[in-house]
C-alpha cells in the first residue's frame, strides 16, 4: 500500500486541529480540583464538570450519573434489601437473617408466662443433664430417693423428678407441649402466685405417692394433675381428642388409656392415676370444700401475690391512690397559733 504526499499532509493537519480543539477545551479544567473516590463519580468545583464526567462515562461505559446527584452503582441498594443489583446476596445477609430468627425465638420464649417458662426451662436442663450423664448416672443423681432426701439432704431430687420426661423423643415432645399448654392455662386462670402454690403442693403430694409406689420420676403425673384440675373446672365443655368430641372431664382418662395402649402394659396407667389423685386433692380443698362450709386454706400469702401478680400490684396501687385522693385537705394551723 502506498500513501501520497498530499493525502498524508491532509491527515496530519486534521489531527493537529482536533488535538488543538481538545487542548483548548481541557485547558479550562484543573486535575487538582478532582477528588477520586472508589465507586463514586468525579466531583469538581467547576460548573462544567458534568460535561467532562458524562464524557468519561460514555467512553468507559457502565453506570451513568443520576440527575439528582449521586451515581448508581452495583452496591447502591436500599438498607432493607439484602441483595445487590446483580441479584446476589450481600455479604452478612445470612447472618442478619439468622439473628432475626434467633431474636424471634427469644421474643416468643419471653412471652411465655413466667412460672411456666421456668418450668419448661428446668425440663430442658434436666433432659440435657440426662443425656450427658447417661441412664445410670441420671437415675442415681436425678431420681427421687426418699432416703437420700431425708438423711442426705439431697433436696433437689423432688424437683428433678418432677422435671425429667425421659430422653428426647416424640413422646417427650408431646409431654412438653402438654406441660406448656396446661401450665399456661392454669397460670393464666389462677395467677402466678396461686399456680406456684399449686405446683409446690403437687410436688409434695407426688413425692409421697411416688415414694410409696417406687416411682423414680413423676413429671407425667404433674401434667395429668394440671389436666385434671382444668377438666374439673369446666367438666361439660366439649373438646376434640383424636377424632372424637368428648366432655372435658374425660380427657385425663382418655390420655391414660392411650398411654396404656401404646405401652401394652397396664403399669403405664399408674402415673396418670397418681396425677388424678393429687390434682383432685387440690381441686377438692380449693373449690368443693369451701362450698361445703369449710375454709379455703390453699390461698397464697399476700407478699407472694404482691410480688408475682402484676394485676394485684396494679389494683393495690390504684386503691392507695384513690384513698389518698379521697382524703380531705384541711386548712391547718400556723406554728405557735392557739
Amino acid at each position: 500500500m502506498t500513501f501520497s504526499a498530499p493525502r498524508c499532509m491532509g491527515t496530519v493537519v486534521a489531527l493537529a486541529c482536533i488535538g488543538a480543539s481538545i487542548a483548548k477545551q481541557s485547558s479550562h479544567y484543573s486535575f487538582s480540583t478532582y477528588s477520586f473516590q472508589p465507586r463514586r463519580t468525579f466531583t469538581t468545583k467547576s460548573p462544567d464538570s458534568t460535561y467532562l464526567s458524562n464524557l468519561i462515562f460514555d467512553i468507559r461505559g457502565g453506570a451513568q450519573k443520576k440527575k439528582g446527584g449521586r451515581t448508581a452503582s452495583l452496591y447502591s441498594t436500599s438498607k432493607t434489601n439484602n441483595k445487590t443489583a446483580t441479584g446476589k446476596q450481600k455479604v452478612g445477609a445470612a447472618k442478619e437473617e439468622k439473628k432475626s430468627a434467633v431474636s424471634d425465638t427469644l421474643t416468643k420464649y419471653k412471652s411465655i408466662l413466667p412460672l411456666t417458662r421456668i418450668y419448661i426451662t428446668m425440663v430442658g436442663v434436666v433432659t440435657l443433664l440426662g443425656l450427658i450423664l447417661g441412664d445410670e448416672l441420671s437415675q442415681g443423681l436425678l431420681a427421687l430417693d426418699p432416703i437420700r432426701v431425708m438423711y442426705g439432704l439431697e433436696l433437689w431430687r423432688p424437683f428433678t423428678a418432677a422435671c425429667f420426661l425421659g430422653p428426647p423423643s416424640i413422646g417427650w415432645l408431646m409431654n412438653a407441649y402438654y406441660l406448656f399448654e396446661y401450665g399456661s392455662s392454669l397460670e393464666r386462670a389462677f395467677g402466678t402466685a396461686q399456680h406456684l402454690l399449686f405446683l409446690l403442693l403437687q410436688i409434695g403430694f407426688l413425692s409421697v405417692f411416688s415414694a410409696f409406689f417406687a416411682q423414680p420420676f413423676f413429671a407425667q403425673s404433674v401434667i395429668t394433675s394440671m389436666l385434671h384440675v382444668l377438666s374439673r373446672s369446666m367438666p361439660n365443655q366439649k373438646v376434640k381428642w383424636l377424632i372424637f368430641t368428648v366432655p372435658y372431664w374425660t380427657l385425663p382418662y382418655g390420655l391414660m388409656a392411650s398411654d396404656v395402649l401404646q405401652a401394652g402394659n397396664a403399669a403405664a396407667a399408674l402415673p396418670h392415676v397418681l396425677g388424678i389423685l393429687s390434682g383432685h386433692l387440690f381441686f377438692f380443698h380449693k373449690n368443693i370444700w369451701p362450698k361445703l362450709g369449710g375454709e379455703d386454706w390453699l390461698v397464697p400469702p399476700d407478699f407472694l401475690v404482691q410480688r408475682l401478680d402484676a394485676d394485684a400490684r396494679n389494683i393495690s396501687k390504684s386503691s392507695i391512690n384513690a384513698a389518698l385522693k379521697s382524703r380531705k385537705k384541711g386548712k391547718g394551723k400556723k406554728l405557735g397559733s392557739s
Side-chain angles (χ1 to χ4, degrees):
M1 179 180 292
T2 59
F3 297 94
S4 62
R7 181 177 298 178
C8 292
M9 290 298 293
T11 304
V12 170
V13 172
L15 290 175
C17 293
I18 293 173
S21 63
I22 293 175
K24 184 178 180 181
Q25 292 181 0
S26 61
S27 64
H28 296 286
Y29 306 103
S30 175
F31 287 97
S32 61
T33 61
Y34 291 97
S35 58
F36 295 90
Q37 297 179 358
R39 303 186 184 276
R40 297 289 182 86
T41 60
F42 294 105
T43 59
T44 180
K45 298 178 181 178
S46 173
D48 296 331
S49 61
T50 305
Y51 170 77
L52 183 58
S53 60
N54 289 333
L55 180 61
I56 294 174
F57 284 138
D58 291 335
I59 296 172
R60 186 189 66 180
Q64 298 294 329
K65 187 175 180 181
K66 293 181 179 180
K67 294 182 179 180
R70 295 184 62 182
T71 59
S73 66
L74 296 179
Y75 299 92
S76 61
T77 55
S78 61
K79 294 182 180 179
T80 57
N81 191 7
N82 289 330
K83 292 184 178 181
T84 61
T86 58
K88 295 183 179 180
Q89 194 173 19
K90 284 185 178 180
V91 178
K95 293 182 179 180
E96 293 179 0
E97 293 179 358
K98 186 176 180 180
K99 288 181 180 179
S100 63
V102 172
S103 63
D104 291 341
T105 304
L106 290 176
T107 302
K108 293 180 180 178
Y109 173 76
K110 292 179 181 179
S111 65
I112 302 174
L113 295 175
L115 199 55
T116 305
R117 181 172 66 243
I118 293 173
Y119 200 171
I120 292 175
T121 304
M122 290 177 63
V123 169
V125 171
V126 172
T127 303
L128 184 61
L129 285 176
L131 289 175
I132 295 173
L133 298 176
D135 293 336
E136 295 183 0
L137 287 178
S138 61
Q139 287 277 343
L141 185 63
L142 304 177
L144 178 66
D145 190 342
I147 302 300
R148 291 186 177 183
V149 172
M150 291 185 293
Y151 296 101
L153 295 179
E154 298 180 0
L155 302 179
W156 68 85
R157 290 183 178 274
F159 299 97
T160 54
C163 296
F164 187 70
L165 291 172
S169 61
I170 298 298
W172 183 94
L173 189 62
M174 294 300 296
N175 287 327
Y177 171 75
Y178 292 150
L179 180 63
F180 162 73
E181 186 69 23
Y182 303 147
S184 299
S185 299
L186 279 178
E187 188 172 359
R188 192 177 296 109
F190 292 162
T192 304
Q194 183 67 62
H195 188 53
L196 177 61
L197 182 61
F198 166 80
L199 288 177
L200 293 177
L201 289 173
Q202 294 306 305
I203 291 173
F205 292 154
L206 290 171
S207 295
V208 176
F209 295 159
S210 299
F212 185 78
F213 288 98
Q215 295 291 313
F217 302 103
F218 52 84
Q220 180 64 58
S221 301
V222 176
I223 296 172
T224 306
S225 66
M226 292 179 180
L227 179 58
H228 179 75
V229 172
L230 283 173
S231 65
R232 294 299 299 173
S233 300
M234 36 189 170
N236 297 322
Q237 181 178 350
K238 301 296 182 180
V239 294
K240 292 288 289 186
W241 178 65
L242 299 180
I243 58 174
F244 307 103
T245 301
V246 296
Y248 204 174
W249 67 270
T250 62
L251 192 56
Y253 305 99
L255 292 179
M256 179 176 64
S258 64
D259 284 350
V260 170
L261 292 176
Q262 288 179 2
N265 189 358
L270 183 58
H272 295 278
V273 172
L274 297 180
I276 291 172
L277 289 176
S278 61
H280 192 71
L281 282 175
F282 177 86
F283 182 80
F284 177 82
H285 287 91
K286 184 67 179 176
N287 299 96
I288 300 176
W289 180 247
K291 294 179 181 179
L292 297 177
E295 184 180 357
D296 182 13
W297 54 276
L298 297 179
V299 178
D302 293 336
F303 75 90
L304 199 61
V305 174
Q306 296 294 329
R307 179 69 177 176
L308 297 179
D309 292 333
D311 294 337
R313 290 198 300 267
N314 294 333
I315 291 173
S316 63
K317 287 181 180 178
S318 61
S319 63
I320 291 173
N321 292 332
L324 291 175
K325 290 181 180 179
S326 63
R327 291 178 60 186
K328 295 181 179 180
K329 297 181 179 180
K331 295 182 178 180
K333 295 181 179 181
K334 295 182 179 180
L335 293 176
S337 62
S338 58

